[in-house]
Amino acid sequence: MTLQIVVCVKAVPDPAQADRIKIDPATSTLTRAQVPLTFNPLDRNALEAALQIREKSGARITVLSMGPSGAESIVRECLSLGADHGILLSDRAFAGADAYATAFTLARGIEKIGSFDLILCGMASSDGATEWVGPQIASFIGIPAATQVEELAQVDSRTLRVRSGMENGYRLMEIKLPALLTATRKLNRPRALSFSGIVKARKKQIVQWGLRDLGLAEDQVGQAASPTVVSAMTTRTARRQVEFIEGSIEEKAEILVQRLAQAGLI
């Protein structure tokens, strides 16, 4: 039996241009329209895990993402790396979603896909880092989940054996399929794009689903359905005091040691 794998990926703001991200004071949400999108790093590990499973035992890989139309480029990159199908959940109604509303929408997208055996997600996104989305998807669908996966020891049509990280150690688990896993950086080393992969991806179509395609109402998604509320925001200004020490090298060294001692640093 061919495994059906769904990999959830996210397009995140380029961290190199994080200083351009603004906060809308009216909605208390991030304004990212002016910041280029990039592939969330840990989602690369999730996709690589799917590709390695396919190489060993065969599988069909569907990539699922939720985001603005610009996120299509990240889905296209996944197809270039070897995914078979790409789906983008994109609708203005999805905007402003917190981790709960994001997981709910992705879960409805996975259910619309239909048949699946394994769902793979990055452990966290670089812009939110809640680590909640993966487990919440599993909860909405009603399947088991293993988080912080560091190693896939065995994969077959019925079960998975994984090593999952935890504080001061790890857990060895056997999980019945269908199931969801969240990937860590320790799981693998993601492959690079190839020219042949890019060429092949041009022939693959990306399906786009909106609110109506998922059979949802506007109050079930996006900011309207997000229980997380920003109650207050404040601006923090970083201030530094600079003191120039004059004198010879020996005098400067002595004064510096005195300053460090007074500050309790030595």
Side-chain angles (χ1 to χ4, degrees):
M1 184 182 75
T2 302
L3 284 175
Q4 302 295 325
I5 302 177
V6 177
V7 183
C8 296
V9 302
K10 185 178 183 181
V12 296
D14 186 346
Q17 300 189 44
D19 59 325
R20 295 173 60 187
I21 299 175
K22 307 296 181 184
I23 298 177
D24 186 334
T27 62
S28 299
T29 58
L30 296 178
T31 302
R32 326 178 193 203
Q34 305 304 316
V35 183
L37 297 175
T38 189
F39 200 154
N40 182 53
L42 287 172
D43 294 345
R44 289 182 179 273
N45 297 95
L47 177 60
E48 178 62 28
L51 295 170
Q52 290 184 9
I53 290 172
R54 184 175 64 187
E55 291 169 352
K56 293 179 181 179
S57 56
R60 296 289 291 176
I61 302 170
T62 299
V63 168
L64 178 67
S65 184
M66 186 184 95
S69 58
E72 183 174 319
S73 63
I74 304 304
V75 178
R76 179 68 62 187
E77 184 174 346
C78 293
L79 296 177
S80 299
L81 286 165
D84 300 296
H85 307 287
I87 301 171
L88 176 63
L89 307 181
S90 187
D91 196 300
R92 286 186 178 274
F94 300 156
D98 66 358
Y100 178 90
T102 297
F104 175 79
T105 307
L106 289 169
R108 297 293 82 85
I110 292 169
E111 289 177 341
K112 182 174 174 61
I113 291 171
S115 176
F116 67 89
D117 300 296
L118 178 61
I119 303 170
L120 292 166
C121 307
M123 184 183 71
S125 63
S126 61
D127 59 343
T130 64
E131 301 184 25
W132 295 345
V133 172
Q136 285 178 325
I137 291 173
S139 179
F140 281 126
I141 296 176
I143 58 174
T147 60
Q148 301 185 38
V149 173
E150 300 175 348
E151 181 184 354
L152 284 172
Q154 178 181 327
V155 181
D156 59 40
S157 61
R158 294 184 178 181
T159 58
L160 297 169
R161 290 183 181 177
V162 304
R163 186 179 73 187
S164 177
M166 60 183 296
E167 188 175 2
N168 300 321
Y170 60 87
R171 297 166 290 182
L172 296 176
M173 295 182 287
E174 183 171 285
I175 306 167
K176 291 183 179 180
L177 297 177
L180 181 146
L181 307 179
T182 68
T184 65
R185 288 183 178 85
K186 294 181 179 180
L187 182 57
N188 52 50
R189 183 175 180 179
R191 66 194 65 190
L193 284 168
S194 66
F195 179 75
S196 61
I198 294 172
V199 172
K200 290 178 182 178
R202 292 176 181 173
K203 300 178 182 179
K204 301 176 183 178
Q205 291 186 340
I206 297 175
V207 177
Q208 185 167 315
W209 291 338
L211 188 70
R212 293 183 179 180
D213 298 299
L214 299 182
L216 299 173
E218 290 191 7
D219 61 358
Q220 293 180 284
V221 298
Q223 190 172 14
S226 299
T228 306
V229 177
V230 179
S231 58
M233 292 189 301
T234 58
T235 301
R236 183 174 181 179
T237 303
R239 296 180 180 178
R240 296 181 180 181
Q241 293 182 345
V242 179
E243 178 183 352
F244 289 95
I245 300 175
E246 304 292 342
S248 64
I249 294 177
E250 291 78 9
E251 292 171 337
K252 291 178 181 179
E254 183 176 351
I255 295 172
L256 178 59
V257 170
Q258 292 176 355
R259 295 286 191 274
L260 293 174
Q262 290 171 1
L265 298 175
I266 60 172

